[in-house]
Amino acid sequence: MIKVELDKEDLICLVNGVDFDYIIPDLARKYGTWTGGFVDKWDWDKQKLRKLTEEQLLEVYDECKKVIRK
């Protein structure tokens, strides 16, 4: 296990680095949009992410991580 100190901008970058295939956690849907069709992609709304506390950002990241690892 590695321990690091992250500030709010670090946490935003961490969350912003999460990408999904088709299964998107409900919590993440509040802070981004899915564009389907010819090119499927997930886009985070960085303005919404900046309004979150550090604890909320970590919660979003943890929820996303659970989905990605399944």
Side-chain angles (χ1 to χ4, degrees):
M1 177 183 284
I2 298 174
K3 292 185 180 186
V4 294
E5 287 188 37
L6 303 174
D7 63 17
K8 187 171 182 173
E9 285 302 312
D10 294 328
L11 289 167
I12 290 170
C13 289
L14 189 65
V15 170
N16 195 48
V18 175
D19 195 13
F20 302 100
D21 290 329
Y22 295 101
I23 300 171
I24 301 165
D26 291 335
L27 185 58
R29 291 180 189 273
K30 296 178 184 179
Y31 308 108
T33 56
W34 174 260
T35 304
F38 186 70
V39 176
D40 294 331
K41 69 176 189 167
W42 174 258
D43 290 305
W44 289 101
D45 185 329
K46 291 179 186 147
Q47 295 304 318
K48 287 183 179 180
L49 292 176
R50 282 194 172 88
K51 292 178 183 178
L52 299 176
T53 65
E54 292 174 353
E55 291 78 15
Q56 290 170 317
L57 286 164
L58 188 57
E59 182 181 352
V60 171
Y61 178 74
D62 284 340
E63 187 67 26
C64 294
K65 187 170 65 171
K66 289 177 192 172
V67 169
I68 292 170
R69 288 188 175 173
K70 285 186 179 180

